[in-house]
Amino acid sequence: MAGGELSGLGGMLLSLKGAAALVAGAQGFYIPSMGPRSFKAGERVPLNVNRVFSEHVPLPFAYYDLPFVCKPNDIQRPWLNVGEVLRGDRIASSDYVLTMGQDVPCQVLCTKFLSADADAAAGRFVEQDYLVEWIVDKLPGATTYVSAKDKQRKEYEPGFRIGSIAHLNNHMTMHILYEKRGEARRIVGFEVYPRSIQNSSSSCPNLNATSALPPLVVGERRAQTITYSYSVRWIEDPAVHWTHRWDRYLATSDPQVHWYSIFNSAVIILLLTGVVAVILMRMLNRDLVATDDFHDIEETSGWKLLHGDVFRAPAYGGLLAPLLGAAVQVMYTFIVTTGFGLLGVLSPSYRGGLLTTGIVWFLLTGAAAGYYSSHLYRTWGGSNWFKNAVMTAALVPGMLIGTSLFLNLFLWYRASSAAMPFSTILLLLALWLCVELPLTLLGAWFGFRRKPYSEPARTNPIPRPVPPIPTYLQPVPSMLLAGALPFAVIFIELFFVLKSIWQDSFYYEYGFALIVGLILAVTVCETTIIMVWMALNAGVHQWWWRAFAYGASSAIYILAYSIFYYFSRVRAGMPGVGGFVPTLTFFVQSLLIATAYALCTGSMGFFAAYFFIRRIYRLVKLS
């Protein structure tokens, strides 16, 4: 919790410089388990299908749950980690035959009869702009684009469209790029070019026909028979090495935009630091000089009058302590997960790695949650450490699991792959019961045994009455005021985060995320200190909950921005594709994201204000 004791910009600038130096290096690093796989000429290369997803409907589905696609007689399903399951992955084998180095001009996959209902379902998926995700050697099949900056360079968008304008794509041309390493070959690209061709002949269409082939029309609720086919072309691409094969997927965002965001944030933090410096160096010093000891305080005004009430235990401290412990847990999880991403451990090849790592570290940092919560709980005069520890372990996970289970009922009803299987729910409950709860109890036991914080001033037996509070310090206006600057620091980077969550683009800018996170932490701490200082000078000694709320207040703007993003990006141009369940999914998950952010920044603001107040009242006592 050293964020509350930050002073000066020297350490921060060094941190920013070091983080910036890691931005480029992190993207080329791969952990050993994600090492290259080499294929020999003539060796079978498996193609797995996964799911279909849309940039406009936040509701993915397993590929083989679609009633209009070809399914193998024997479907093999690999083991999936928790993160893959939670993000909606449902990876399975396919009947596509890919042989290293052997081109396939055209091959029939299957001929399938579509009922009227299946035809209508195909039309809905085409209308809602769903994309298909196939995987070859951990690379998703991609749609190719020409780079806007360099016309000679290609960029990839993960997935390919299931169809367009009421036309279902039923022929796939696959270009698989590879590099040679002696006799071995490594796959460095997977491009899919889909086509819609009216074909019910159980044979390959004439792809070289000079006249345009009629498209396959769906969505008219009529039964029909269609033939799926595919072509494969192997292309040696010596310009792309295996260690950089993800670059085309990750080149969708301009780094200059991130640097602009960082520059904008740096200007804000410099101005804010100047304001804090004025408060600390002028107003605070003036107040300290005006009073030599606590005996003269009653003849003064402002924050010094509250010396007998400012360290009074907060109202509902039995709730605030577990909440702060869980907030520290969330913050540590964010820090560790971002650190792993910066080191390259969370390579895009490690599917579900971000969620899996976050869950593991959330469970392990339960010890830190119990420790901080129990220590504060004892400082505020609490005696039942076991009850406090159980509340710490159950408060946030209970809210997350309860909300997720509520949403899961609707996802189950829609048969979406985003719904958690019952086995996954049992696994998460078992992990909480066997890992997090014991660690939280252990941390709480040590935290409660630690000596309470020694406050620099005694607490009066009778609370001082709170005078009328100015309008700008009322709860709603003050929270909106406190949250504005932190949101201004992150709103550009927030766009890329939301895009990666809701529109399935890759976010691998952990270096930029670290820099923005550091600036955000300083901004939250300084903003909270200023707002609490103003409250104390207005005679408000009940600052504990205020400090947490001021630190967390920018989550209000994040939730509002998420709503704006939904209508301006997710639903943009396609107002008719929504529905109750997709809309509910978006807003419930956005609320959970904003809550996690609020816990993280709220703990930063609370401890910054706590250490600041302890410091200034200690200075008065020692002067």
Side-chain angles (χ1 to χ4, degrees), residues 23 269 478:
V23 172
I269 196 65
S478 61

Side-chain angles (χ1 to χ4, degrees), residues 101-152:
Q102 295 182 9
D103 292 348
V104 178
C106 185
Q107 177 69 42
V108 172
L109 180 68
C110 80
T111 299
K112 187 174 183 65
F113 173 76
L114 265 63
S115 65
D117 290 339
D119 180 85
R124 287 194 300 271
F125 278 93
V126 171
E127 179 190 8
Q128 295 175 359
D129 202 20
Y130 268 84
L131 290 85
V132 181
E133 184 176 332
W134 289 351
I135 303 170
V136 170
D137 191 32
K138 300 177 182 176
L139 284 179
T143 302
T144 60
Y145 295 95
V146 176
S147 174
K149 289 188 174 182
D150 184 0
K151 300 301 182 181
Q152 303 300 318

Side-chain angles (χ1 to χ4, degrees), residues 80-328:
L80 301 179
N81 60 50
V82 177
E84 288 176 300
V85 174
L86 293 180
R87 71 186 295 268
D89 285 353
R90 299 296 183 267
I91 301 175
S93 61
S94 73
D95 282 340
Y96 290 93
V97 178
L98 277 61
T99 305
M100 174 60 74
Q102 295 182 9
D103 292 348
V104 178
C106 185
Q107 177 69 42
V108 172
L109 180 68
C110 80
T111 299
K112 187 174 183 65
F113 173 76
L114 265 63
S115 65
D117 290 339
D119 180 85
R124 287 194 300 271
F125 278 93
V126 171
E127 179 190 8
Q128 295 175 359
D129 202 20
Y130 268 84
L131 290 85
V132 181
E133 184 176 332
W134 289 351
I135 303 170
V136 170
D137 191 32
K138 300 177 182 176
L139 284 179
T143 302
T144 60
Y145 295 95
V146 176
S147 174
K149 289 188 174 182
D150 184 0
K151 300 301 182 181
Q152 303 300 318
R153 184 166 60 91
K154 290 190 297 186
E155 293 180 356
Y156 287 169
E157 178 185 279
F160 59 91
R161 273 161 177 74
I162 206 168
S164 60
I165 319 177
H167 300 156
L168 178 67
N169 292 323
N170 61 325
H171 179 85
M172 313 300 169
T173 298
M174 292 175 269
H175 290 181
I176 304 179
L177 285 56
Y178 64 92
E179 68 164 340
K180 280 188 175 180
R181 288 295 183 94
E183 295 296 324
R185 303 181 183 187
R186 297 176 179 175
I187 296 175
V188 297
F190 180 26
E191 305 169 1
V192 182
Y193 301 88
R195 292 181 63 180
S196 178
I197 303 173
Q198 181 66 47
N199 182 17
S200 59
S201 63
S202 300
S203 61
C204 276
N206 184 8
L207 301 175
N208 298 321
T210 55
S211 60
L213 298 174
L216 173 61
V217 179
V218 293
E220 298 180 349
R221 296 195 66 86
R222 59 184 176 88
Q224 61 175 317
T225 300
I226 63 174
T227 296
Y228 283 90
S229 56
Y230 66 96
S231 305
V232 181
R233 183 183 175 194
W234 296 86
I235 304 172
E236 182 181 358
D237 190 351
V240 179
H241 298 292
W242 188 90
T243 53
H244 294 281
R245 65 178 186 163
W246 283 95
D247 289 357
R248 289 172 175 171
Y249 293 90
L250 305 176
T252 55
S253 62
D254 189 352
Q256 292 183 356
V257 176
H258 296 278
W259 286 118
Y260 170 78
S261 171
I262 291 172
F263 176 77
N264 176 66
S265 303
V267 171
I268 292 175
I269 196 65
L270 286 173
L271 293 175
L272 187 60
T273 302
V275 174
V276 175
V278 169
I279 291 177
L280 297 182
M281 297 179 63
R282 297 186 62 181
M283 298 181 182
L284 187 58
N285 283 340
R286 181 192 61 193
D287 289 345
L288 291 174
V289 171
T291 304
D292 292 333
D293 203 350
F294 274 127
H295 299 294
D296 302 324
I297 283 180
E298 297 302 328
E299 301 177 2
T300 65
S301 61
W303 60 273
K304 290 180 293 183
L305 287 174
L306 306 181
H307 67 92
D309 298 276
V310 73
F311 295 109
R312 187 181 306 279
Y316 306 105
L319 175 62
L320 182 58
L323 187 62
L324 286 168
V328 171

